[in-house]
Amino acid sequence: MANQLGNLVESIKSKVRSLKKSKKPYVKMDKRASVKVEIRSRQARKLIDKTLKVADRPGKRSVS
């Protein structure tokens, strides 16, 4: 039982080490790209909300 636990711990440690090694460097976005992403995500959120409202009322086709 203790041997299995030791093997499990070693396998987890090796997986964590491999994840640390394959980490991609952080790329900083400039302000314009950041703002564009924010606007797109807001538009996507509005579209999702609108679609969900329509889906909640299957008898009506228009969104008010």
Side-chain angles (χ1 to χ4, degrees):
M1 177 87 174
N3 191 20
Q4 291 175 345
L5 185 60
N7 290 339
L8 178 64
V9 170
E10 287 303 316
S11 67
I12 292 173
K13 284 182 181 179
S14 67
K15 287 179 183 178
V16 169
R17 277 188 228 117
S18 68
L19 287 175
K20 285 183 180 179
K21 289 179 184 177
S22 66
K23 195 172 187 181
K24 294 181 181 178
Y26 176 74
V27 178
K28 188 174 180 181
M29 272 196 230
D30 62 333
K31 287 254 185 204
R32 288 177 291 172
S34 170
V35 171
K36 286 179 184 177
V37 168
E38 179 66 28
I39 290 171
R40 286 186 187 136
S41 66
R42 284 183 189 171
Q43 290 172 343
R45 173 64 59 199
K46 287 179 185 177
L47 180 62
I48 291 169
D49 290 340
K50 183 177 173 182
T51 305
L52 289 174
K53 284 180 186 176
V54 171
D56 287 340
R57 299 182 300 161
K60 297 187 178 186
R61 294 192 182 266
S62 64
V63 177
S64 46

